[in-house]
Amino acid sequence: MKMNKYTFSFTAALCLGSLNLIAEKNDQDSALLMNNELIRKQQIELEADALYYKAVGAVEESAYQVAIDLLDKSKVQYLRAQSSSNRLLVKLENVDKLKTQIYKNLIDTKLSNADVASANASYDLAKKYLNELKILDEDNAKLYDLKLA
């Protein structure tokens, strides 16, 4: 079957139009996927925020171990959000700062408790606190060993 110029032009235009429709559909699908991914990341970030604020509440109640566990979970969630935005980086920094403060509070509390126990001649209790400090603050374990002696 032979095609004249007009039939050929019409067929070519029809094919090009179909290709454009397919390309537009692919662009729409890509945009939808990108939008869904953005929403997923925002959801993960909100979950991490909730964990962080629960950790802050636990610190206020002196539930330090609970706070540390919540901060660890929030950090994992923030990292899952996979964003290099300044907002997320600041949130990760805040997690680390709060965790450092918690460890400092724990160390201060246990050291104070050990001193009180020692002053009250509760040497076994003082020893318990100092051994906990050695685990918690490994960098200063030798100082705690000196207090144990």
Side-chain angles (χ1 to χ4, degrees):
M1 175 170 148
K2 281 189 166 184
M3 275 195 222
N4 65 29
K5 287 187 206 178
Y6 300 109
T7 306
F8 179 77
S9 297
F10 177 75
T11 305
L14 191 60
C15 288
L16 287 175
S18 295
L19 288 175
N20 281 339
L21 285 175
I22 292 170
E24 285 176 18
K25 174 75 171 126
N26 286 340
D27 287 346
Q28 289 172 351
D29 289 346
S30 295
L32 182 63
L33 285 174
M34 288 174 51
N35 192 37
N36 286 346
E37 182 65 11
L38 180 64
I39 290 169
R40 185 188 70 79
K41 287 180 180 183
Q42 289 172 340
Q43 174 77 28
I44 291 170
E45 186 177 345
L46 288 172
E47 290 169 7
D49 288 344
L51 290 167
Y52 177 81
Y53 289 113
K54 282 182 184 177
V56 169
V59 169
E60 290 171 357
E61 296 172 4
S62 299
Y64 296 126
Q65 192 55 53
V66 171
I68 289 169
D69 293 343
L70 288 168
L71 287 172
D72 288 342
K73 289 176 185 177
S74 73
K75 187 169 188 173
V76 168
Q77 290 294 86
Y78 282 133
L79 292 172
R80 276 187 60 217
Q82 297 175 341
S83 172
S84 59
S85 73
N86 286 340
R87 182 187 73 252
L88 194 59
L89 294 175
V90 167
K91 288 179 179 185
L92 283 166
E93 246 177 61
N94 289 341
V95 167
D96 290 336
K97 285 178 186 176
L98 183 56
K99 198 169 178 183
T100 299
Q101 186 60 44
I102 290 169
Y103 276 112
K104 183 183 176 313
N105 290 350
L106 269 172
I107 290 167
D108 290 346
T109 300
K110 289 190 184 290
L111 195 53
S112 175
N113 290 344
D115 290 341
V116 168
S118 182
N120 291 330
S122 298
Y123 300 114
D124 287 340
L125 186 56
K127 193 178 207 180
K128 176 186 171 253
Y129 286 126
L130 290 170
N131 283 326
E132 288 174 2
L133 279 166
K134 285 171 46 177
I135 294 167
L136 189 62
D137 185 19
E138 294 173 355
D139 293 340
N140 292 311
K142 289 181 181 179
L143 294 173
Y144 304 128
D145 281 335
L146 290 173
K147 280 187 158 273
L148 281 168

